[in-house]
Structure formats: structure tokens, C-alpha cells
Amino acid sequence: MSTITREHIVQWLENVAQVLAENKEYLTELDAAIGDADHGINMDRGFTKVMERLDGVRDKDIGTILRTTGMALLSSVGGAGGPLYGSLFMKAGMAVTGKHELTPEELGKLLRAAVQGVIDRGKAQLGDKTMVDALLPAVEAYEKTLQEGGDLCTALTRMVAAAEKGMKDTIPLVAKKGRASYLGERSAGHQDPGATSSYLILKALKETVCG
Amino acid sequence: MKKLVNRPEDFVREMLEGMEKAHGDLIGVNYEPRYIYRKEMPQGKVAVISGGGSGHEPMHGGFVGIGMLDAACPGEVFTSPTPDQMYEAGKKVHAGGGVLFIVKNYSGDVMNFEMATEMLNMEGIPTINVLVDDDVAVKDSLYTQGRRGTGTTVLMEKIVGAAAEWGKYDLKRLADLARKVNVNGRSMGMALTPCTVPTAGKPTFELGEDEMEIGIGIHGEPGRYREPLATADEITERLALAIIEDGPYTRTVKEWDLDAGGWKEFELTDPPFQPGDHVIAMVNSMGGTPVSELYVVYRKLHEICEKKGLTIVRNLIGAYITSLEMQGVMITLLKVDDEILEMWDKPVKTPALRWGM
Ligand SMILES: Nc1ncnc2c1ncn2[C@@H]1O[C@H](COP(=O)(O)OP(=O)(O)O)[C@@H](O)[C@H]1O
Ligand SMILES: [Mg+2]
């Protein structure tokens, strides 16, 4: 496996929609502990909207598919998740405009642009107990594996492992961004819902491309 | 869950349909994307728009009308609305004077309103976003999102709305007034019970019969501290002193700069209350607390203010910014000057607040 096709991307988005629907209550419970009990509901509503829009762009380039995904999320998710995941997918799409398939390096550029989109919009740093704690180490692991000569599926596997670790590492942290920061010390001891949805989204990418 | 709902997914839309039927003389409702707008907009007036998650009614939709808001964007329950709602609402009520967004300081609201501010300015509609962050339960802004926007939002919408309507303020002067209200207003709230988001079906947190949450926001989230239940006087004193004795509070805000055509960041500091200050006092029900209990609280608040040398020159007592059916109370004190008080007293006609006309 050394290319990512448009079909992979469409399949990925469909898988994300399914995974988020399955984890709707789990994500919402995580958000109930340190936020306002809506993250799973928001993400599920957003990806239901993405599925509606996907039919119109299925045969377009990957950039268009991802930008359409971002716009659909932006106008349907709301909360913090809406602008953050909206920016993630829009920036991902803008990094691969016109392309119908991607090399592993191009996927790396897409992932980097996606994370940067989240950071630019939300201004969170590593350790603030947000989705950035899952996303940033994940992209770094992916890039590093390719640089060391690893193949696509090794890079994606390590990406998911790093995302999982980043997600779990949010548990002891005190939140500095987002609603959870209002709880101060009481936010420690809970896993961040946004980091969890980010992990699920990246895991779905690996599973779609590499099984 | 025991609620007057049909399908939980339809809750917000059906509420909007009811509001439209009840107040159709004053307001209209757009459903795709969702916003409530004032029917007759005077030419040249700055459009004052706010929005946020639903579940805080009557805020914000109930404050659309004459002398207050020109449009309000309702999100799902406790979820920020989206930029396309704010953008379309802005285009709908813009009457040549530009748009002022009143934004409560929650990361979701802030980011969505920032995107809408960029979109409207790109479109050639001058738009400024002003923040409300008045909740003294949050101490610092250095390592957190900063203070939340709570009770002062209601007072700001009234005062700024009056200045746009009756004072004929232009956009920049209106933003200056909004900032002045924000730095002079402080709030703190507490909960006796949690509340239940219809789509979630169960309470947002568990609270024992003999416990309370102090320092809550308005989204059914737990507070800063969980404590044994106390008497009304003790609770009132706890909230009032936290507000009155709060020191200067400094944070960096990000607003659209009309002259530069881009974002600017600058510091704002809340001056502490001083003996001799005149204040507007709001005693607000979180949704499930009866008016009788609010008066019990007001009685004690009045006594504390007197002791501290603050004169309550106006008051607002009732349910204005709520968290669904939560039982609890929020106290807001806003230091006033002649300008703020003059605008407070101007006529207002909205579904939820009406005097002088
Ligand atoms: N400034 C930010 N930067 C990055 N991620 C953030 C930021 N603010 C919040 N988040 C993420 O958003 C998640 C919450 O999303 P959601 O529940 O949909 O929004 P809301 O907090 O508005 O209800 C958090 O768990 C966190 O990961
Ligand atoms: Mg949430």
C-alpha cells in the first residue's frame, strides 16, 4: 500500500460517521464530566450532515471532498468542535487541492495542515487538555516514521498509537482551554472528549487504508 | 427525564415556532439557518446581535425587539450557534450602521463569532465583536479560557440596545459602551440541582440532597466548588462578597479593528467596586427557582450592599438567563454612571423585557 485514493478518503469519512455514531454516548459522557455533555451529540450531528453533502462531491478531487466536509461541520456542529473540526478538514482539503490520489508524503502535508488549522483557530498548546494533545503527537509520529524510511501503514499505525497515548495522557491534566478549564483542578482525572474524538477519527483513517 | 418535549431533536425548532406564533408582531424567525430577527429595523441604526446555545431562555431570543437586540442566533441546547447563522442574521438586519456582536466568553461561542465577524467584514458590513466575561468564580485568565459570560450579558444587551436605538450611537461608540458595561459588571451563580439536556436525557451532574454547587456557569456544568447546603443568607453572602470584594481583573481580548481591517488584541481591566458606587443589581433564577426565593436573596443582598457602601439604584429580579430547569440563583452587580443609567431607563419592548412603551 503506497497511495491513498479518493475512494479511501470517501470510505474514511463514511467510517468516521459510523464510528462517531457508535461512540455518541461515550463522547457525550466524557463531556458531561468536564464540559457540557454535548460533544458526542455535536459530532454525530455534524457527520450526519457530512454524509448528506458527500453524495454531491464523491467523484470530485480529494481537496474538494475534504473542504466540503469542513464546511458541513462548520455549519452544523456548533460549540468548540464546529470551528475546530471545520478548520481541520478545510485546511486538510486546501493542502491537497485538485488531487485524486495522494502519496504518503502528501498525506503527511494534509495531516500537518489539518492540525495547524486547529491550532491557529483555538490557540491551544500541547498539554492544555484538548484535541491538540492527540492530534499533534500523532502527526509528528507519522512524519517521523516516513523520514526514517517507514512505509505508509507503519506510519499510520504509529500515528494512531501516538494519538491514543496523547488521548490517555490528557487524563491527569488540568484543562487550560475550552469549557473544561472553568473546572480548574476538578478537570484532572478525566479524559478529554475532543482528544478522544480526534483519536477515533485518526484510527478510522488507518483502518480504512491499511485494515 | 420528565419534560414537556415531543421528539428531543425537535425541541429547539418547536420552541422557535412557538415564539414566532406568540410574538409575531415584533419578531420573525428564520429556520435555515436559525435566527430570530426584529421585524422593523430603523435605517442607519447599528444592528445589535447576540447568540449562544439554547436553554438560557428568555436570553437571547426573548430580548429581540425595540431598544434591545435586533437579532439572536440560537444554537442547540447549550451548544454555540454556527457562523452561517450569525452571518445570515447580520445580513438580514444590517441597516447601514454596521453590526455589533455581543459574545459570551466560551471557547465555542468565541470561535464561531470570530469566523462570522471575518465573514461579514469581508462582505463589506463593518462588524465588531465585543466579549462579555463577568463571572468572578473564575479567578485567573492566564491559564484558563478566562471568565465566562453570564448575568452581565442581559444588562449589556439592554443598555447597548438602548444606545443603538435611542442614543443613535455609531458602531465604534457602541462598542466602547459595551466594553464599559463589561468591565463594570460582575456575577456569580450557584446551583441546588442539575438540569437535563433533552437530547442527553439525563442530568448533567449528580448532586446529593444536602449538597450545592458554587460558582456555576450557565450550561448545566458543575461549579468550581461542591459544598454542603447552606441557608439562603449564607449563600447570598458567599456570592455577594465574592463579587463585591473581587480585585482588579485583567485579560487580553481579541476584537475586529475596523480601521486596520483585521484582528487586534488588547488588555482590559475591571476596576473593583468602591464604597459610594451606584449599582444595578440582578437576582436571577437559574430556571427552577421560584420568585419568592429570589426575594429572600434580594433582601440579604440589599443589606450586604448597604453595609459595603454600595447603593442599589435599579434592580431586576426574575428568570432572565437560565440553565433549563436548574434550581439556583445568580447575582449580578453592575456599577453604573450617568450614561449607563440613562440607557438602562430608556424604553424597551421585547417578548421578555418591557417598560416605558
Ligand atoms: N481552544 C481550543 N483548542 C483546541 N481544542 C479545544 C479548544 N477548546 C475546546 N477544545 C476541544 O473541544 C472539545 C469540546 O468540544 P464540544 O463539546 O463540541 O464543544 P463545547 O465545549 O463548546 O461544548 C474539548 O474536549 C477540547 O478537546
Ligand atoms: Mg461540549
Side-chain angles (χ1 to χ4, degrees):
Chain A
M1 178 65 58
S2 60
T3 49
I4 301 94
T5 63
R6 180 179 66 203
E7 286 68 31
H8 279 136
I9 297 294
V10 170
Q11 186 63 50
W12 171 41
L13 295 170
E14 287 171 348
N15 291 348
V16 169
Q18 195 188 332
V19 167
L20 290 176
E22 286 162 9
N23 285 279
K24 178 172 156 180
E25 301 208 334
Y26 172 55
L27 291 171
T28 298
E29 268 167 37
L30 291 176
D31 198 29
I34 55 170
D36 57 350
D38 64 359
H39 189 60
I41 298 164
N42 294 350
M43 294 304 290
D44 182 50
R45 183 175 59 244
F47 269 87
T48 303
K49 186 61 130 209
V50 170
M51 289 302 105
E52 285 169 21
R53 299 269 175 86
L54 200 55
D55 278 333
V57 292
R58 232 171 239 289
D59 51 356
K60 299 268 168 47
D61 66 285
I62 295 174
T64 303
I65 293 170
L66 292 175
R67 262 188 291 114
T68 305
T69 301
M71 288 301 287
L73 294 175
L74 191 63
S75 65
S76 64
V77 176
L84 292 168
Y85 278 117
S87 300
L88 183 149
F89 281 97
M90 282 197 284
K91 291 289 148 88
M94 285 155 74
V96 296
T97 303
K99 297 212 185 312
H100 290 260
E101 51 180 48
L102 306 175
T103 65
E105 287 70 28
E106 286 168 335
L107 180 63
K109 290 211 177 89
L110 176 158
L111 292 168
R112 175 54 73 171
V115 182
Q116 199 55 47
V118 172
I119 293 173
D120 289 345
R121 184 51 63 190
K123 303 273 181 287
Q125 294 176 350
L126 214 55
D128 284 355
K129 199 181 181 101
T130 70
M131 56 179 73
V132 171
D133 293 340
L135 293 169
L136 194 56
V139 173
E140 282 168 358
Y142 180 92
E143 290 170 345
K144 186 156 174 280
T145 310
L146 285 193
Q147 275 160 19
E148 291 169 359
D151 67 5
L152 174 62
C153 286
T154 310
L156 285 174
T157 303
R158 292 202 187 144
M159 172 188 82
V160 173
E164 184 171 13
K165 179 169 187 306
M167 167 186 88
K168 290 193 173 141
D169 286 350
T170 62
I171 295 174
L173 295 175
V174 173
K176 300 205 176 78
K177 278 279 186 294
R179 261 185 227 292
S181 73
Y182 301 123
L183 284 177
E185 299 290 332
R186 278 176 84 180
S187 66
H190 301 277
Q191 185 169 307
D192 180 61
T196 310
S197 56
S198 288
Y199 159 73
L200 293 172
I201 289 169
L202 293 176
K203 182 157 161 269
L205 176 60
K206 185 248 152 193
E207 284 171 0
T208 308
V209 178
C210 305
Chain B
M1 175 177 68
K2 233 170 160 184
K3 274 178 189 290
L4 297 170
V5 289
N6 297 306
R7 290 195 325 160
E9 311 84 275
D10 298 334
F11 182 66
V12 174
R13 183 176 44 78
E14 291 179 349
M15 167 188 77
L16 292 173
E17 287 170 4
M19 284 191 70
E20 185 181 22
K21 293 282 182 291
H23 308 291
D25 53 328
L26 213 51
I27 59 169
V29 176
N30 192 75
Y31 291 91
E32 255 317 306
R34 281 175 186 161
Y35 59 87
I36 298 169
Y37 59 95
R38 166 190 189 165
K39 275 217 165 130
E40 277 159 36
M41 182 72 186
Q43 268 308 309
K45 188 183 105 65
V46 178
V48 183
I49 301 179
S50 192
S54 293
H56 309 302
E57 292 68 24
M59 190 187 80
H60 300 274
F63 301 143
V64 176
I66 299 167
M68 209 161 167
L69 294 180
D70 300 297
C73 308
E76 294 296 327
V77 173
F78 296 164
T79 299
S80 159
T82 58
D84 54 320
Q85 291 173 263
M86 303 155 186
Y87 170 77
E88 292 296 338
K91 287 215 301 192
K92 172 85 184 174
V93 295
H94 171 55
V99 172
L100 185 80
F101 282 145
I102 295 179
V103 185
K104 302 193 298 304
N105 190 33
Y106 298 93
S107 56
D109 294 69
V110 169
M111 287 189 275
N112 283 289
F113 269 107
E114 279 177 8
M115 296 185 98
T117 302
E118 287 171 4
M119 288 157 77
L120 283 173
N121 278 296
M122 299 304 161
E123 189 85 355
I125 299 179
T127 302
I128 301 180
N129 56 320
V130 176
L131 218 57
V132 193
D133 55 348
D134 65 320
D135 166 30
V136 301
V138 181
K139 283 292 162 221
D140 52 33
S141 68
L142 210 48
Y143 302 112
T144 67
Q145 188 75 35
R147 291 186 168 174
R148 298 169 286 205
T150 57
T152 301
T153 316
V154 176
L155 309 182
M156 185 191 288
E157 288 176 1
K158 166 68 188 83
I159 291 158
V160 166
E165 183 91 37
W166 313 110
K168 313 267 183 242
Y169 282 33
D170 67 17
L171 180 54
K172 282 189 194 167
R173 190 169 168 218
L174 201 62
D176 289 342
L177 174 62
R179 249 176 261 120
K180 179 163 91 176
V181 171
N182 185 36
V183 299
N184 283 297
R186 284 178 167 83
S187 300
M188 179 128 153
M190 61 80 58
L192 297 167
T193 64
C195 58
T196 299
V197 175
T199 48
K202 52 178 189 260
T204 46
F205 56 86
E206 305 276 337
L207 198 57
E209 264 303 302
D210 49 358
E211 292 176 317
M212 63 179 179
E213 289 280 332
I214 295 274
I216 54 158
I218 53 170
H219 296 90
E221 67 271 59
R224 303 278 290 184
Y225 320 97
R226 175 163 301 189
E227 297 183 2
L229 189 58
T231 63
D233 282 1
E234 285 162 348
I235 292 169
T236 306
E237 186 160 342
R238 182 81 200 279
L239 301 180
L241 291 184
I243 293 169
I244 296 170
E245 293 173 355
D246 185 50
Y249 170 75
T250 301
R251 75 299 221 172
T252 303
V253 299
K254 182 175 166 193
E255 276 184 23
W256 189 267
D257 182 345
L258 291 181
D259 299 321
W263 293 104
K264 68 172 171 208
E265 294 193 9
F266 55 95
E267 279 194 353
L268 278 181
T269 299
D270 296 7
F273 289 104
Q274 306 281 350
D277 282 350
H278 286 194
V279 299
I280 299 175
M282 179 167 79
V283 174
N284 174 65
S285 161
M286 297 314 297
T289 287
V291 176
S292 50
E293 291 177 26
L294 300 180
Y295 279 111
V296 173
V297 169
Y298 185 76
R299 159 195 148 275
K300 182 69 182 176
L301 176 64
H302 194 274
E303 180 194 311
I304 295 168
C305 283
E306 257 179 3
K307 228 183 264 165
K308 290 279 174 183
L310 304 183
T311 310
I312 301 178
V313 290
R314 301 287 185 277
N315 65 66
L316 191 65
I317 296 165
Y320 293 99
I321 167 172
T322 60
S323 298
L324 296 169
E325 75 280 17
M326 176 183 274
Q327 285 180 28
V329 68
M330 174 175 288
I331 293 177
T332 301
L333 294 180
L334 168 66
K335 181 191 165 182
V336 300
D337 58 9
D338 292 345
E339 182 190 29
I340 292 177
L341 200 58
E342 182 192 343
M343 293 308 163
W344 178 257
D345 286 339
K346 294 276 188 207
V348 59
K349 187 178 175 189
T350 69
L353 203 65
R354 183 169 180 184
W355 59 68
M357 65 187 295

mmCIF file of all heavy atoms in Angstrom, chain A residues 31 36 38-39 179, ligand 2:
data_model
loop_
_atom_site.group_PDB
_atom_site.id
_atom_site.type_symbol
_atom_site.label_atom_id
_atom_site.label_comp_id
_atom_site.label_asym_id
_atom_site.label_seq_id
_atom_site.Cartn_x
_atom_site.Cartn_y
_atom_site.Cartn_z
ATOM 1 N N ASP A 31 -17.789 14.333 27.980
ATOM 2 C CA ASP A 31 -18.020 15.779 28.014
ATOM 3 C C ASP A 31 -18.871 16.175 29.225
ATOM 4 O O ASP A 31 -18.739 17.289 29.746
ATOM 5 C CB ASP A 31 -18.690 16.231 26.707
ATOM 6 C CG ASP A 31 -18.579 17.732 26.479
ATOM 7 O OD1 ASP A 31 -17.599 18.338 26.957
ATOM 8 O OD2 ASP A 31 -19.471 18.297 25.822
ATOM 9 N N ASP A 36 -20.017 20.094 28.925
ATOM 10 C CA ASP A 36 -21.451 20.340 28.979
ATOM 11 C C ASP A 36 -22.249 19.252 28.285
ATOM 12 O O ASP A 36 -23.347 19.508 27.808
ATOM 13 C CB ASP A 36 -21.753 21.701 28.363
ATOM 14 C CG ASP A 36 -21.249 21.775 26.945
ATOM 15 O OD1 ASP A 36 -20.516 20.858 26.524
ATOM 16 O OD2 ASP A 36 -21.595 22.735 26.246
ATOM 17 N N ASP A 38 -22.253 17.523 25.448
ATOM 18 C CA ASP A 38 -22.806 17.579 24.088
ATOM 19 C C ASP A 38 -21.830 17.138 22.998
ATOM 20 O O ASP A 38 -22.205 17.089 21.827
ATOM 21 C CB ASP A 38 -23.319 18.997 23.775
ATOM 22 C CG ASP A 38 -22.212 20.044 23.777
ATOM 23 O OD1 ASP A 38 -21.043 19.692 24.045
ATOM 24 O OD2 ASP A 38 -22.524 21.213 23.506
ATOM 25 N N HIS A 39 -20.607 16.803 23.342
ATOM 26 C CA HIS A 39 -19.613 16.580 22.284
ATOM 27 C C HIS A 39 -20.002 15.448 21.328
ATOM 28 O O HIS A 39 -19.911 15.599 20.111
ATOM 29 C CB HIS A 39 -18.227 16.323 22.880
ATOM 30 C CG HIS A 39 -17.145 16.299 21.852
ATOM 31 N ND1 HIS A 39 -16.880 17.382 21.040
ATOM 32 C CD2 HIS A 39 -16.290 15.318 21.471
ATOM 33 C CE1 HIS A 39 -15.893 17.062 20.213
ATOM 34 N NE2 HIS A 39 -15.519 15.823 20.446
ATOM 35 N N ARG A 179 -14.165 24.705 27.692
ATOM 36 C CA ARG A 179 -15.059 24.734 28.836
ATOM 37 C C ARG A 179 -14.465 24.071 30.067
ATOM 38 O O ARG A 179 -14.730 24.488 31.190
ATOM 39 C CB ARG A 179 -16.320 23.947 28.499
ATOM 40 C CG ARG A 179 -17.459 24.780 28.099
ATOM 41 C CD ARG A 179 -18.647 23.862 27.937
ATOM 42 N NE ARG A 179 -19.343 24.139 26.688
ATOM 43 C CZ ARG A 179 -20.010 25.242 26.464
ATOM 44 N NH1 ARG A 179 -20.066 26.188 27.354
ATOM 45 N NH2 ARG A 179 -20.633 25.435 25.320
HETATM 46 MG MG MG C 2 -19.277 20.332 24.993
#
